[in-house]
Amino acid sequence: MKLTKEEVKHIADLARLNLSEEEIARYQSELSYILEYIDQLQEVDTTGVEPTAQVTGLINRFREDVAATPDEATRQRLINAFPEREGNYDKVKAVFE
Amino acid sequence: MSKNYKILQFLSFIIVMHLTSLTLKETSDGLNRHEFSSVELTRAYLDRIERLNPSLNAYLTVATESALEAAKAADERRAKGENGALLGVPIAVKDNMMTVGIRTTAASKMLEDYAPSYDATVVKKIKDAGAVILGKTNLDEWAHGSSTENSAFGPTKNPWDLTRVPGGSSGGSAAAVAADLCAGALGSDTGGSIRGPAGFCGVVGLKTSYGRVSRSGLLAMTSSTDVIGPMTKTAADAALLLQVIAGADQFDQTTYPESPKPHEYQKAIEGRSDLKGLKFGVPVEWLESTGLTQGVSKATNEAIEEVKRLGGEIKKISLPYARYGIPVYYVITPSEVSANLSRYDGIRYGYRDKETANLFEVYTKSRGVGFGAEAKRRIMLGTYTLSHGYYDAYYLKAQKVRTLIAREIENVLKTVDAVIGPVSPHVAFKIGAQTDDPLKMYLEDVYMGTASLAGLPSLALPCGFALPEKGKEKMPAGLQLIGRRFDEATLLAIGNVYEKATGWGKSKPVL
């Protein structure tokens, strides 16, 4: 499965990754090569086989919909992790232009 | 006076050397008999880490202060009459599990200075049990890799040969155990990341059943196969550590609602002195595969002979679908990785690029710079395989083949108690030998993917030494035992019998 440069750029956009020209070329060849290897899965007959979504065998693990506020120390650690702060707010670029 | 002082210095050096060479169980027993304190023990490990970590790079962060505080607290608890398998015992934790007070990096520039807001459940459990966390060990960035060469902070060296890899992605934890830089460690396994490094470093590594141990606080990689497990000097040690970390957890709804019984694993070990009555299946496809090196094949066959001598019955079994394990794994993993790593966007935590004109650039540049090459490769691959028009051909197809692989081994495990084979096709390779070819690296997992995809437990045990493909010095070889879901007890009991009979795992690298 050979990927075009445009396809690679499109994937990078979807994945929100800024790649250099060199990286785009490198991933273009590496991804094509890996996808070729993966193509062998097409030779397996999977008619009537259910996909494995999860292996636990568990169904619908519910809990009560009760909000739990974190303790003050945890809350402070969350706030301290913000890359840019203004008071207790996470300072970010405008969401809408 | 001076001569006596020198003798005293020498004796205390011997005592200190002795403390760090103890197994987890010996450590625990020694603390219980008041032969030494946790503070003394912790200092011994910290000194050894200071001496050896610069050349091994097993630890990314050494938590000196908090370790000594925890040791002191453990000694105080013991003075009040408390006792427990992990009380005061120094443990290393792979740096993809959150530890409050100790930075957690996932070996990535993205989280280089990240201070976690909560403890992973396994960390909370070992802290409650009074364990001393010595520090955080190195890994392939985000656990993506089989050699620890993908770490953004340099590779870890194999303690048996510093020019070789320790395996991955839990290379730091494996090296720390092999080099006596901790009494035991926690690792994680998604496609072989506990077993591979355990095999390469000659230590015990248990990939637990999916759902046996909580993943809350484990930085997610492949949500449908990730597990946490113990990496230790002996199988009995793994049993002790597993007993503490296993169990149902309200913060991880994929954990099995029934926790293990008290002392389940220790009792299983104590209850078995040979392998009589147990059946072992040897997959013909694995021992006939062209990639398997002579040395590892020989070591594996000797282990199988030993199992027979100990009373086990050997049966040839067939796993024809297992060969699709790698392509299946390398569709599912990048797909789930692409979703799990989307949270690292420079907004709430982690690296945020400063040269950005708008919000879109905050995402693309923070991620472009913060992530390493393998992470980006997997994100790209996964984004593609999950995208519109390709989801059916790739992810859905892979999950169907997964069902066939899982069903096949589960059926085999109805006729045998364990599947036995090598951990890896060869022993530890030289650092840099495989970094040019990502696919070659993916093939390291050829014997390990099956257990991951089926959610089964698998134990890696030292089974001798073998020559590398290129080189004259022998390196550790690992034996793999795959068991039924939640049957870690049987695997650990087998491991203990095998260890005691062969003595593999006792010798240590000279450092």
Side-chain angles (χ1 to χ4, degrees), chain B residues 87-288:
Chain B
L87 184 62
V89 176
I91 302 287
V93 176
K94 183 176 181 180
D95 206 13
N96 62 351
M97 298 175 215
M98 307 235 283
T99 44
V100 169
I102 311 174
R103 73 165 183 163
T104 299
T105 68
S108 178
K109 292 255 178 255
M110 182 64 85
L111 294 182
E112 192 167 0
D113 302 306
Y114 177 60
S117 51
Y118 62 93
D119 278 328
T121 295
V122 295
V123 168
K124 183 173 188 304
K125 284 185 161 195
I126 66 172
K127 277 183 179 177
D128 287 349
V132 171
I133 297 176
L134 291 166
K136 309 300 290 297
T137 55
N138 201 10
L139 60 153
D140 283 290
E141 188 182 343
W142 307 106
H144 302 168
S146 309
S147 66
T148 310
E149 291 173 289
N150 288 331
S151 169
F153 307 117
T156 294
K157 318 290 173 60
N158 191 313
W160 293 89
D161 179 343
L162 301 183
T163 67
R164 292 180 183 273
V165 300
S169 60
S170 310
S173 283
V177 174
D180 283 334
L181 298 182
C182 62
L186 292 181
S188 72
D189 191 309
T190 300
S193 292
I194 283 177
R195 293 163 284 164
F200 279 9
C201 291
V203 301
V204 173
L206 175 66
K207 174 212 170 294
T208 52
S209 310
Y210 187 82
R212 180 78 292 173
V213 180
S214 172
R215 289 178 296 117
S216 174
L218 169 69
L219 302 182
M221 180 188 159
T222 308
S223 304
S224 72
T225 67
D226 284 350
V227 300
I228 291 175
M231 300 182 76
T232 52
K233 304 180 195 185
T234 67
D237 285 358
L240 288 176
L241 193 41
L242 178 62
Q243 192 75 50
V244 176
I245 62 174
D249 183 26
Q250 56 166 329
F251 295 122
D252 176 0
Q253 294 290 54
T254 62
T255 52
Y256 192 61
E258 267 174 56
S259 296
K261 304 181 203 49
H263 312 291
E264 174 172 333
Y265 306 116
Q266 208 181 323
K267 282 186 183 153
I269 285 182
E270 286 163 5
R272 184 170 277 289
S273 53
D274 57 42
L275 301 181
K276 292 197 184 113
L278 290 173
K279 294 195 180 74
F280 295 80
V282 181
V284 295
E285 293 86 1
W286 288 5
L287 290 195
E288 284 163 14

Side-chain angles (χ1 to χ4, degrees), chain A residues 30 43 50 52 90-91, chain B residues 324 347 352 376-377 403:
Chain A
E30 283 173 355
E43 68 196 38
E50 280 300 299
T52 296
D90 185 354
K91 188 169 180 192
Chain B
Y324 294 109
I347 300 298
R352 183 189 290 185
K376 286 190 270 197
R377 192 176 295 128
T403 301

